[in-house]
Amino acid sequence: MIVPIQSLMGLSDAPGEMIDRSASVPAALIRAKAIEPGTLLWRLLTDRRGKLLDATYVGHHAPDKLGQAIRFRDGTSVSPTAMVPAHRADLDHTIAYGSPPGGGPTTASNLGPLHRRAHNLKTAGFMNLQQSERGVFEWTTSTGHQSRHTADPLPTVEWAHSPPEASAA
């Protein structure tokens, strides 16, 4: 279901809609469902005309599809000292989730695969991590040493300007 934030917060009774836009859903019903255990929420940022500008999962653990996309993007742990495969690493928030208040969102620009030892060093304050842009991880150690991790680009091929000739059979 999709609902304006004002309705979700009880500031309006404007109805929401089913994802496929097949039916309206009363705001009171959406508010009741939103507080049920296990409910997953996404924040969809739109312009005034309803054009989607950004989508953010509002929760600590990344949904499977987001996690898989991040693992595809990075390939390995984003630590400068290890090449642990991404599927064996935790998805770690660059800016800690919920800290500061309203803190680090669960988005591709704030997540990266990080093996447990590097995660613990970061959490303990021995290493500072920032993402200057999505997928570019900049590390600073407590001694001031800096390192940058950028994943290898994904494979691409230029599109042909015209379709290949069909072979005569």
Side-chain angles (χ1 to χ4, degrees):
M1 293 179 275
I2 301 170
V3 61
I5 188 69
Q6 296 91 333
S7 296
L8 191 60
M9 295 175 62
L11 302 174
S12 168
D13 282 324
E17 296 179 348
M18 299 298 290
I19 293 172
D20 65 2
R21 314 300 195 274
S22 63
S24 293
V25 182
L29 177 60
I30 293 174
R31 286 192 290 270
K33 292 289 183 189
I35 61 172
E36 288 182 3
T39 299
L40 300 176
L41 298 176
W42 286 81
R43 180 178 53 229
L44 304 177
L45 177 63
T46 64
D47 65 14
R48 291 181 181 191
R49 294 179 162 198
K51 180 180 175 188
L52 184 64
L53 302 174
D54 184 47
T56 301
Y57 174 66
V58 186
H60 184 259
H61 298 287
D64 291 340
K65 288 182 181 179
L66 175 59
Q68 192 63 44
I70 291 166
R71 289 180 180 99
F72 284 145
R73 178 193 71 195
D74 296 316
T76 64
S77 172
V78 298
S79 167
T81 60
M83 294 297 293
V84 174
H87 71 273
R88 290 187 35 219
D90 298 330
L91 287 179
D92 182 68
H93 287 80
T94 302
I95 300 170
Y97 178 78
S99 175
T106 302
T107 61
S109 60
N110 192 45
L111 290 171
L114 191 58
H115 65 87
R116 185 59 52 97
R117 191 179 80 166
H119 174 90
N120 291 340
L121 288 170
K122 180 179 124 311
T123 301
F126 294 110
M127 297 180 81
N128 181 41
L129 174 61
Q130 294 185 357
Q131 276 193 72
S132 56
E133 58 186 271
R134 201 173 284 142
V136 178
F137 298 86
E138 297 176 346
W139 293 89
T140 305
T141 67
S142 57
T143 59
H145 292 85
Q146 295 182 331
S147 179
R148 183 179 176 128
H149 175 89
T150 304
D152 292 333
L154 299 173
T156 61
V157 173
E158 291 292 323
W159 287 94
H161 295 290
S162 60
E165 296 292 324
S167 60

